[in-house]
Amino acid sequence: MAEIAVKIDDQEERFPGSITVAEVLKSLMSGKQRKQTIAVYANDKAVDLDVELAEDTVIVPIKKDSPEALEILRHSTSHIMAQAVRELFGEEVKIAIGPAIENGFYYDFLRDTPFSPEDFEKIEQKMAEIAVQALSFSHRDISRQEAIEMFREQGEKYKVELLEEMVDDTVSIYQQGSFVDLCRGPHIPDTTWVKDFKLLRVAGAYWRGDENNDVLQRIYGTAFFDKKALKKHLNDLEEAKKRDHRRLGKDLQLFTINDQIGPGLILWQPKGSQLRRLIEDYWKDEHYRHGYELLYTPHIARHDLWNTSGHLDFYSENMYASMEIDNVKYQLKPMNCPFHIGVYKSDKRSYREFPIRWAELGTVYRYERAGALHGLLRVRGFTQDDAHIFCREDQLDEEIFNILDLNLLILKRFGFEDYDVYLSTRPEKSVGSDEIWKKSTEALKKALEKKGLGFQIDPGEGVFYGPKIDIKIKDQLGRSWQCSTIQVDFNLPDRFDMTYTGSNNRDHQPIMIHRALMGSLERFVGVLIEHYAGAFPIWFTPVQARLMNITDDQSAYCERVYDKLRKAGVRIEKDLRNEKLNYKIREAQMAKIPYMLIIGEREKTDNTVTVRMRDGKNLPPMSIDEFAAKIEEESRQGRGI
C-alpha cells in the first residue's frame, strides 16, 4: 500500500496507506497536546479523530481553547440532549434539527405536551447519565436512499424531508449508543467530554422558519469545557435578564407596543421621546459640523420607483404590499436612497459641488416575520440614521475614511469603544460588473487599513448593489450588536441615469455611498438601554433630576425650584406626594434618575437643595444656580462640546 505524508506544524512523517487521525496524532504529538485536541482540520476540512487518511495531508489540530472546539462540543451536546429526550419520552417525540449557535445550541422537537421545568431536570439528569457512558460518536457514510428508508421506518418525517431535498447520493450519519442522527460532523471523540452544560429555555419555532409548517418546541442549552466558564455564562445571562430592554423600557416608561396598532410598531412614550430627541439633536449637530445637510422625504412612493431601484427584484420579500391611490400603485418605503436620488436629480450637478453629503432620519417600513420581532431590536417600522454621499471617483477613498472617522466618534460618544469590523463581499444575488465590485471592495478595504482598523472578511454578505463595511458594537456584557454599515454603490447611479458635468464639460456618473452609523434609532436605543441597564449618562438621560420634599411645608418652595431649573434647561421631575422620603428615594433609584434633589426646612430657609446621586452618595447642599451649572457642564462634556 502506498505511503502518505502527514504534516502537523513543522513535523512531517510518512505512514502506511490508510491510518486514522488519532494514530497520526499519537505519533506526532505529545500526550498533553492530544488531550487538548478534539478534532482536526485535514487539508482544511474539519474531521473527527477516527477518520482514516488516504492521501498526503496537512493537519491543524482543533484544541479545546478554540472557538471551533466549543462549537463542536455544543453540537455534540445537542445530539446527547436529543438522545436523552428520546429515551425519556419515547418515539412519539419527533426530532428535527439541532445545531450549535452563538453561545450554545438548540434542538427542535415535535411533542404534543409542552416541556416543563421538571422535564428539564429529567433531561439534564439523563444527559449526565449518557455522558459518563463514554459512548463514541461513530460516523459512517450511507446512500441517501438507505438513509431515507431508515428514518422513514423510525417515523422521523423531518429527516426524511431534508434527505429528499438533497442532491448527493451519499450522506453522513452519526451514532452514539442507540441514537442515530443525520449530520455532517465533526463531533467530540466520545460523550465523556460533555460535563459542564445547562438547559436554558424552551420556545416555539416553525419548522424551517415557515409559518405554514408545524410548530416545534425548541430547547435551548449551552455547554463549556469547564465549570468556571459555564458559571460565568449563566451569571451573564442573569445580568442580561436584568438589562432586558423590553422590561426596562416598560419600567422606565420609554416605549410600548400595542397589539391593536400592530406588532413591531413602536409607540414612544414621553420619556422615550425625550431620549430619542436628545440622540437626534446630537446626531444632527454632529453631522452639520461634518459637512452634511439634512433632508426630509415622504413615507411612500410610486410602485415604479422600486422597479427602477431594483428593490422589487432583490428585496420584495421584505416589502409591504402596494396600495392603489388614484389608480396608481404606491409602496411604503423600505429604503430612503431613491428619495435622495430624487433630490439629486432635481437640479443639474457640477463636479465642483462634490462631495454632496445628505443625511436624513428617515422612517422606513420592512416586513419581518412575527416570530422574529423582538422589542426595539427587530421591528417593522423604524427610523434609520441614513445618509448618502455623492462623489467623484477620486474622492471615494477620502469620503469612506471620513465616514469612518465620524462613525467611531459618534459610537465613542455613546460609550461604545469595543467593536468588530467586517468587510462584506459580493453575494450570489447581485448586480454590476466584476470590475465595479472589485473597485468598490478595494476602496472600503483601503479606508479600513488607513484608519488602522482590524477587520474580518465576511464572504458573500454584501448587499445586492455593492460591498459594505459592517461594525458590530459590543456592550458591557461583551455581546455584539449589528450597528453601523457603509456601502459603496455604482449600481443605483446607473439605474437612475445620474450624471454630473465634469471639468471637461462632459457628463459623468457619480459614485453613491450609503451609510448608517447607528443603524436605526429603535435598535440603537434598545442597545443603549441594555448597555447602561437604563442608567444613562447625564447628557442624554430623559430625566436628569427628581425634586422631592420631606413634608408639605416645603411644597411651595419646591414648585419655585422646579420652575427655575426647568427654565434653566434641566430635565426635571417633581415628587411632592405625602410619602416617606425613603420611599421616594427608592422609587427614584428604581427609575434610574441620576440626581435626587431633597428639600427640607433647612434647604427652604437657605435657598438651597441637597443633592443625592442614584448610587446613594450625597453631595453638599448647593444653590439652585450651582446645580443648574453642574448639570450644564456635565451635559456639555458628555456631548464633547
Side-chain angles (χ1 to χ4, degrees), residues 279-294 357-361 385-389 406-407 409-410 515-518:
I279 294 170
E280 289 182 3
D281 287 351
Y282 167 74
W283 183 91
K284 291 174 182 176
D285 292 344
E286 206 61 69
H287 276 72
Y288 188 76
R289 280 195 287 271
H290 282 78
Y292 288 78
E293 302 293 342
L294 296 180
R357 306 184 186 103
W358 288 334
E360 177 184 11
L361 292 167
D385 71 314
D386 216 349
H388 295 94
I389 293 91
L406 176 59
N407 200 157
L409 170 67
I410 288 179
R515 48 114 289 202
L517 307 185
M518 296 185 291

